[in-house]
Amino acid sequence: MPATQRLTELGEQRSQIASRVAVQRTEVDDMSTEIRKAEADVAQVRTRRVRDQQRLDTGAVTSAKDLESLQREIVSLDRRISALEDAELEVMERMETAQAEQRQAESELAALDADMAALSETRDAEVREIETEAAGLRDERDRAAVTLPPDLLALYERVRSQHDGVGAAALRQRRCEGCRLELNAADLREIAAAPDDEVLRCPECDRLLVRTTESGL
Ligand SMILES: [Zn+2]
């Protein structure tokens, strides 16, 4: 059934996208850990920067040498804060890109899920149709079977069980429709000469052979 085949294809696409989404989620998680770490680092340096500034403002440091060293440290802390913030911004930008890709893949997944749900319904309807048709054919077969002489029916069932479920075949254009082989002239002459009620067998596959108006005899 075409719906089943299409469902298999979509299922493969879905699992590819789903694994892409899983990788993206891990990447985004890693980046947000990285950002939290950078924020904690910045906060730590800022605390120290505030403490240094207070020491400077309160005039607690009086020696010129200590004062100079404190000012140098403040400059260095400012540079460190700026570098950490730049790094954090860079990660945030990468994370935004990754999140946009993730949202895109997730919406592809949602669209695929909707397509697959609709296709499943189509497939189920097709299956129901085939089942109804098969049930009709089984009824028809049962009605036909009771009209056959029991010994012929038994023979047919035996041959059928030995030949992939096909116990009888039509002879059409000199060809057995069970094994698709063309019968030779001698066999065809014999079949043509046989009485109408004689049960014939295909010389090639041994199935019951049914003569028709198109047998080519
Ligand atoms: Zn045959």
Side-chain angles (χ1 to χ4, degrees), residues 140-155:
E140 205 178 316
R141 180 197 183 279
D142 291 346
R143 280 195 304 272
V146 293
T147 66
L148 291 174
D151 55 345
L152 178 58
L153 185 61
L155 173 67

Side-chain angles (χ1 to χ4, degrees), residues 176 178-181 202 204-207 209:
C176 162
C179 61
R180 321 295 306 173
L181 292 172
C202 170
E204 300 295 341
C205 69
D206 210 33
R207 289 187 175 92
L209 202 55

Side-chain angles (χ1 to χ4, degrees), residues 141 148 152-172 175-180 199-202 205-212:
R141 180 197 183 279
L148 291 174
L152 178 58
L153 185 61
L155 173 67
Y156 165 77
E157 292 291 6
R158 197 173 67 242
V159 176
R160 179 171 176 249
S161 70
Q162 293 160 352
H163 292 85
D164 303 324
V166 182
L171 177 65
R172 196 161 279 143
R175 204 176 281 275
C176 162
E177 298 217 312
C179 61
R180 321 295 306 173
V199 177
L200 302 169
R201 308 286 288 268
C202 170
C205 69
D206 210 33
R207 289 187 175 92
L208 304 188
L209 202 55
V210 181
R211 280 165 286 182
T212 72

